[in-house]
Amino acid sequence: MMRVGLTGGIGSGKSTVAGFFRELGIPVYDSDVRARELMEADPELRGRIENLLGEEAYAEGKLNRAWIASRVFGDAELLEALNALVHPAVAADFRSWSARQEAPYVLQEAAILIENGGYRNLDRVILVTAPEEERIRRVVARDNTSGSRVRSRMDAQWSDKRKIPLSDFVIENMELEATRRAVHRIHRELLEIPGSPGAS
């Protein structure tokens, strides 16, 4: 089973790209969604998060996302400590999920796949990009937030320039049909990689 990473900065449109791969029958593991689920459902992980952040990390049995964000935002050390708890749990869950899939390859969608070093455990990496101003416009419209807040979130992630050399494929996501064509091209290339189940 070939494992392919799908990443991109906030507002790049990696979820749109993931949707195009799903249309081709490729299973997609959403790391960010699963991380939140594991933070609630995994008792061991939950205990470690409470030890790190305090019991306020959970409210009425649910992850207190707003409170956690207020604690770790702007505190790089605390955020790194939280990620050091969550990322190994997600990596193990992804390996287990991958083993259950029946497809030529699977995708792991994750916002900071390169920043956290997770890309090293994958066979290929796809990076989704878009111009900075377009990304800000998308997120402001999507999240009903301010441009300055979006920019501060972008500043916490690596630039595309830094991520491109570590990626095998780059999709500039500006026009939907062009993006869909790029997905189909990459899909064909992945199927032709020697050793992949789809290779002839």
Side-chain angles (χ1 to χ4, degrees):
M1 172 67 70
M2 185 164 59
R3 297 182 297 183
V4 179
L6 175 64
T7 192
I10 183 172
S12 61
K14 67 182 182 304
S15 295
T16 297
V17 171
F20 290 153
F21 277 101
R22 284 191 179 98
E23 289 176 2
L24 295 170
I26 300 304
V28 179
Y29 179 96
D30 189 326
S31 296
D32 300 331
V33 169
R34 280 298 290 154
R36 292 194 292 270
E37 292 173 351
L38 290 167
M39 288 167 80
E40 286 189 359
D42 184 328
E44 186 177 343
L45 178 59
R46 185 172 175 143
R48 290 178 177 174
I49 291 169
E50 287 182 338
N51 286 339
L52 176 68
L53 300 175
E55 292 183 0
E56 297 91 341
Y58 294 87
E60 298 179 4
K62 295 290 184 182
L63 193 65
N64 192 345
R65 291 172 59 192
W67 186 86
I68 291 174
S70 72
R71 285 290 314 277
V72 302
F73 187 73
D75 188 331
E77 283 189 14
L78 193 59
L79 177 60
E80 190 174 333
L82 178 62
N83 285 339
L85 297 177
V86 176
H87 289 159
V90 172
D93 188 65
F94 172 64
R95 287 193 297 271
S96 174
W97 174 88
S98 297
R100 299 192 302 270
Q101 304 308 309
E102 295 182 7
Y105 62 93
V106 296
L107 282 184
Q108 181 180 18
E109 179 188 348
I112 57 171
L113 189 69
I114 292 177
E115 291 92 327
N116 68 20
Y119 73 98
R120 296 189 188 97
N121 300 316
L122 300 167
D123 299 297
R124 296 291 188 277
V125 174
I126 302 166
L127 174 66
V128 184
T129 69
E132 195 170 281
E133 291 306 316
E134 173 63 15
R135 290 167 56 195
I136 292 171
R137 186 194 66 76
R138 289 172 182 172
V139 180
V140 166
R142 183 190 72 194
D143 296 352
N144 192 26
T145 186
S146 67
S148 60
R149 284 188 176 180
V150 178
R151 192 172 291 279
S152 67
R153 288 166 68 184
M154 289 171 66
D155 288 344
Q157 298 179 345
W158 287 14
S159 68
D160 288 341
K161 187 176 181 181
R162 192 174 174 188
K163 289 186 280 193
I164 286 171
L166 299 171
S167 305
D168 299 285
F169 304 98
V170 179
I171 298 174
E172 184 177 42
N173 178 34
M174 282 297 291
E175 196 274 315
L176 276 181
E177 284 311 307
T179 297
R180 190 191 299 272
R181 287 194 297 272
V183 166
H184 281 245
R185 173 181 56 78
I186 291 169
H187 175 68
R188 289 193 299 272
E189 288 189 39
L190 289 171
L191 293 181
E192 289 302 319
I193 290 173
S196 75
S200 54

